[in-house]
Amino acid sequence: MAQPMSSSNEDQEVCSETLRVESKLFYLDLKRNARGRYLKIAEKGTNRERSTIIVPYTGIMWFRELFNYYAGGTNEQGPLVSKELPIETKAFYFEIGENTRGRFLRVSESGAGPRGRSSIVIPAGGATATAWGTFRDALTRIEVAGQQAETSESSSDRFDDTVHQLSSMRIQDDVTAAVAGSRTVVGPGPSPPTITETETGGQIVRAGHKRFFFDLGSNAKGKFLRITEVVGLERIAIVVPAEAMGQFQAALGTCQEQHASGVVSTARIQQQLPTMQPPPAPTTSASVQSSAAAPCTPSVTDVSPQMSQAIR
């Protein structure tokens, strides 16, 4: 049920849904505040602590379509695959799993501030994925209520007609292309990068579902700048000595200019490389001389996925 808005600055409830799936309760609350609307989905079960994910308002439609995909509401053939849904500064991961109680869908939120990565787990509700279909229908009703709250109050007849249309509507062609086949990244995409300042004076750069923290520090060796990349629960940090910060900034500026121009000058890089002179030939034996004079053969080394991820 849609709720009237108050003039309070606190978060206000627009509508809510409560779903029971096996031994779990799920609370879906559409709320609004000064920054806009959002959907709060909380899971409360007997065997795990309460878990919550926060979905930006623009992502509700994509959540509905993905639950429709997992509930078998599309014409897709083949096994269900995991999906990644970037929305604004967050990324949501939809992963299929199975245990002794049956199939389940884990929905994880990355970029959730200090909480890191949180997730909810929704059982399928049987071989026909009844529970996932129930989730889809609840999201449909919430989407309708949000649209009506944005426009104007409508009669109950119009509300019921809109719910029926959305519930029976087939997925649009562009949405079908987004969730179909082996493509795993769907949705509207991440928001443009932003920069904010922390209470301690540090800087945070958000780019997609990544966050970069710039923090000044000092130790017995001197002052330094620590740059930390955070993706979900993973953290990678580098430390730049304070005396090298100017050169670091200049290198970043050069890379930015090259990126803006669309041309990376390999000639400049080659000019900066020192000229390598071949080592003098040893005089011990002919076999050693032949080996030293032979040039190195270029080779290509495959990088494992783990190593590639670490490099990124």
Side-chain angles (χ1 to χ4, degrees):
M1 294 292 293
Q3 302 293 332
M5 302 299 173
S6 65
S7 58
S8 169
N9 291 327
E10 299 179 354
D11 289 5
Q12 303 154 11
E13 184 176 289
V14 179
C15 66
S16 64
E17 294 269 347
T18 301
L19 305 177
R20 179 181 291 275
V21 181
E22 297 180 358
S23 62
K24 296 183 177 183
L25 283 174
F26 294 91
Y27 303 93
L28 292 78
D29 301 314
L30 180 61
K31 297 188 175 185
R32 63 171 296 180
N33 54 28
R35 292 172 293 181
R37 289 180 171 86
Y38 64 91
L39 176 62
K40 178 181 178 182
I41 305 178
E43 170 197 348
K44 185 178 181 181
T46 56
N47 297 325
R48 67 191 301 246
E49 296 181 356
R50 186 185 182 102
S51 183
T52 303
I53 63 174
I54 303 296
V55 183
Y57 183 68
T58 55
I60 295 178
M61 179 194 73
W62 293 94
F63 260 66
R64 170 172 61 84
E65 297 299 348
L66 282 173
F67 270 97
N68 187 55
Y69 162 72
Y70 287 110
T74 68
N75 295 325
E76 278 300 296
Q77 303 294 327
L80 299 174
V81 298
S82 299
K83 303 287 184 179
E84 177 183 348
L85 174 63
I87 304 174
E88 298 180 3
T89 60
K90 297 183 177 183
F92 297 89
Y93 303 91
F94 291 71
E95 301 167 300
I96 292 288
E98 189 170 1
N99 54 26
T100 56
R101 294 186 293 273
R103 292 187 304 162
F104 60 86
L105 177 64
R106 185 187 305 275
V107 183
S108 303
E109 171 193 355
S110 180
R115 295 183 293 115
R117 187 167 180 170
S118 58
S119 63
I120 59 173
V121 178
I122 306 104
T128 57
T130 305
W132 297 343
T134 302
F135 245 85
R136 173 199 58 203
D137 297 340
L139 289 168
T140 299
R141 293 190 293 270
I142 289 174
E143 185 180 4
V144 171
Q147 291 172 353
Q148 292 214 339
E150 280 187 324
T151 55
S152 61
E153 293 186 3
S154 302
S155 64
S156 59
D157 292 340
R158 181 180 176 185
F159 178 83
D160 292 338
D161 290 341
T162 308
V163 172
H164 182 267
Q165 289 176 3
L166 281 174
S167 299
S168 60
M169 181 177 60
R170 298 188 63 180
I171 300 178
Q172 299 174 358
D173 292 340
D174 57 341
V175 179
T176 303
V179 300
S182 60
R183 182 181 178 187
T184 59
V185 180
V186 301
S191 61
T194 60
I195 182 170
T196 56
E197 184 174 350
T198 65
E199 296 179 355
T200 58
Q203 303 293 316
I204 303 177
V205 174
R206 293 179 179 269
H209 58 282
K210 291 187 176 184
R211 292 172 294 166
F212 299 89
F213 295 83
F214 293 74
D215 300 298
L216 292 172
S218 62
N219 54 25
K221 297 180 180 179
K223 297 181 179 180
F224 58 85
L225 169 65
R226 177 182 286 109
I227 304 176
T228 307
E229 174 190 356
V230 179
V231 183
L233 297 179
E234 299 180 358
R235 291 174 174 264
I236 301 176
I238 63 172
V239 177
V240 182
E243 58 270 20
M245 287 172 56
Q247 289 79 1
F248 200 88
Q249 183 180 10
L252 287 175
T254 301
C255 293
Q256 185 177 12
E257 292 175 359
Q258 293 175 349
H259 171 71
S261 64
V263 177
V264 178
S265 176
T266 56
R268 180 186 300 181
I269 298 176
Q270 293 174 353
Q271 290 175 1
Q272 293 176 351
L273 292 175
T275 303
M276 302 298 293
Q277 299 293 336
T283 57
T284 53
S285 66
S287 61
V288 174
Q289 290 178 4
S290 175
S291 175
C296 296
T297 303
S299 61
V300 177
T301 303
D302 292 333
V303 179
S304 65
Q306 294 81 3
M307 184 180 297
S308 177
Q309 184 176 4
I311 295 174
R312 290 197 299 268

